[in-house]
Amino acid sequence: MDGNGRWAKKKGNLRIFGHQNAITAVRDTVEAAAELGIKFLTLYAFSTENWSRPKYEVDALMQLLVNTIRKETDTLTKNNIRLQAIGDREALPNACRRELEEAIQLTSQNSRMTLVLALSYSGRWELVNAMKQVASLVEQGKLSAAHITEETIQQHLTTAGIPDPELLIRTSGEQRISNFLLWQLAYTELYITDLLWPDFRKEHLYEAIFAFQQRERRFGKTSEQLQKAHS
Ligand code: IPE
Ligand code: MG
């Protein structure tokens, strides 16, 4: 979800105004995704690197997060949406973590869609974490290095139990991954739009999904192999 600051600046406003207006886009997108029958939607809300922004912006974002979670938990439950979070929860301010954990708990039985918030998240942080856990199992003699597989790594990522994304949408025209789901994006289709996040609405999600549907996902195979399998 990129471009909040630029969106506000274009309107002659403070960056925070952009973050506040991002909530409408989040609401619209979550609703559209659930209506379409999407089972998992992950929102990159705050990266490990975002901690180095000016303190007042970080504080405002954390405050916005607390307020939004508090306000939206009922709606999530009404819509049968389960909330989860990936990232370094320990790094979040206490109030924020409490609110988040409460919402996760309250929505844990919901089954229509899982909404995953990436908060204080970065792909490298996650991989370091996973390696520490795996190394510790090896150290304790519970796992031999020779038996480490892709599944072993996967099980120790914060996304354990969440399938790899099929489609990644990035707004604001930036053509980079910015430390998001580095392992999980191996075969994800990328869709980049110049639209700034606060302007993102249901119709833009539909456009992205339509573009995704035109792609041929070969997973390393040839086009001919895929056609044969389908015939
Ligand atoms: C995305 O918008 C929101 C967060 C990273 C929290 P930005 O704040 O990155 O907006 P730009 O990129 O400065 O326009
Ligand atoms: Mg940005």
Side-chain angles (χ1 to χ4, degrees):
M1 302 186 286
D2 201 10
N4 298 352
R6 278 162 282 171
W7 184 90
K9 214 169 166 187
K10 263 183 28 189
K11 295 191 158 14
N13 249 303
L14 297 173
R15 298 178 52 81
I16 309 298
F17 184 66
H19 298 317
Q20 286 162 346
N21 280 275
I23 307 298
T24 319
V26 170
R27 234 184 259 128
D28 225 52
T29 306
V30 171
E31 200 178 289
E35 285 165 357
L36 288 172
I38 288 170
K39 297 311 276 180
F40 290 88
L41 175 70
T42 303
L43 300 176
Y44 199 6
F46 194 87
S47 74
T48 308
E49 288 76 22
N50 286 148
W51 289 116
S52 27
R53 289 194 178 190
K55 187 178 177 325
Y56 63 86
E57 182 167 342
V58 171
D59 289 349
L61 279 166
M62 291 299 141
Q63 194 54 53
L64 191 64
L65 187 68
V66 174
N67 295 345
T68 308
I69 294 173
R70 191 174 296 155
K71 249 195 258 163
E72 302 293 330
T73 308
D74 277 354
T75 313
L76 289 179
T77 296
K78 238 176 267 155
N79 291 318
N80 197 11
I81 297 170
R82 173 171 73 141
L83 186 70
Q84 286 206 331
I86 55 170
D88 185 6
R89 280 193 215 175
E90 304 297 310
L92 297 171
N94 282 336
C96 218
R97 201 171 65 209
R98 265 200 310 272
E99 207 65 50
L100 181 68
E101 276 164 6
E102 203 179 305
I104 290 172
Q105 185 55 38
L106 284 168
T107 62
S108 63
Q109 300 306 311
N110 300 344
S111 58
R112 185 175 174 211
M113 182 177 84
T114 301
L115 172 63
V116 184
L117 290 183
L119 285 174
S120 190
Y121 173 87
S122 81
R124 286 186 176 181
W125 166 83
E126 178 179 54
L127 286 168
V128 168
N129 228 19
M131 282 183 206
K132 279 184 190 161
Q133 290 174 35
V134 173
S136 151
L137 290 175
V138 173
E139 236 171 33
Q140 295 167 53
K142 290 182 180 159
L143 176 70
S144 80
H147 285 116
I148 296 173
T149 61
E150 288 195 9
E151 282 67 39
T152 319
I153 314 263
Q154 229 144 21
Q155 284 159 11
H156 291 91
L157 299 173
T158 48
T159 52
I162 301 171
D164 289 345
E166 292 177 284
L167 170 65
L168 167 83
I169 302 172
R170 179 160 189 161
T171 54
S172 88
E174 305 295 359
Q175 312 213 12
R176 53 176 170 265
I177 301 293
S178 300
N179 220 344
F180 190 48
L181 300 175
L182 294 177
W183 171 280
Q184 299 87 337
L185 293 179
Y187 274 102
T188 301
E189 295 295 325
L190 309 180
Y191 178 87
I192 293 166
T193 166
D194 285 334
L195 212 71
L196 302 174
W197 175 253
D199 288 329
F200 199 88
R201 292 293 178 275
K202 286 185 181 183
E203 69 213 73
H204 306 114
L205 181 69
Y206 303 154
E207 278 167 18
I209 292 171
F210 185 72
F212 168 83
Q213 289 170 331
Q214 314 307 307
R215 309 268 180 96
E216 183 186 55
R217 305 188 75 200
R218 289 190 290 277
F219 299 98
K221 295 187 180 172
T222 68
S223 200
E224 289 71 23
Q225 282 177 301
L226 296 174
Q227 276 152 23
K228 215 186 261 168
H230 283 133
S231 65

